[in-house]
Amino acid sequence: MALKAKLKKWNKEIFGDVKQQKEKLISDIKGIQEELERNPTDDLLLREAGLQKEFDVVLEQGEMLWYQKSREKWIVFGDRNTN
């Protein structure tokens, strides 16, 4: 149990709340895209590109997180397809 608590703490410190980060980035990107429709500028395009890159990183982190969770379950429960 101590290991689980330490791993949860490490996860929050390193990755943070991936779902929350993803939602915030989506909201920010939508806001910039709406502003771009009204007043397109190079600065807004650069900000949008930066947010898109951050979004890609967050998606990658989410994939890693789900992969680790699936591995954890496989280790705990193993291959139940036995006689």
Side-chain angles (χ1 to χ4, degrees):
M1 280 300 207
L3 177 61
K4 186 176 183 177
K6 288 181 181 181
L7 287 174
K8 279 188 171 192
K9 181 181 176 196
W10 174 80
N11 181 43
K12 289 289 183 187
E13 289 172 357
I14 299 301
F15 292 113
D17 187 354
V18 174
K19 182 179 178 182
Q20 186 179 25
Q21 289 176 355
K22 188 168 89 171
E23 290 172 359
K24 182 183 179 327
L25 284 169
I26 288 172
S27 173
D28 291 348
I29 290 169
K30 283 182 181 179
I32 286 180
Q33 287 174 343
E34 289 172 2
E35 200 171 328
L36 274 169
E37 288 178 13
R38 291 188 300 264
N39 184 24
T41 64
D42 290 339
D43 183 49
L44 287 174
L45 289 171
L46 289 174
R47 284 178 40 203
E48 181 188 24
L51 288 173
Q52 290 285 359
K53 286 180 183 179
E54 283 183 52
F55 187 68
D56 289 341
V57 169
V58 169
L59 287 178
E60 228 174 88
Q61 289 174 343
E63 286 178 25
M64 280 194 301
L65 183 66
W66 283 108
Y67 175 76
Q68 291 298 325
K69 285 183 180 186
S70 72
R71 296 294 302 151
E72 172 193 4
K73 289 189 185 299
W74 191 88
I75 290 170
V76 170
F77 297 113
D79 185 4
R80 299 288 181 176
N81 193 13
T82 61
N83 289 338

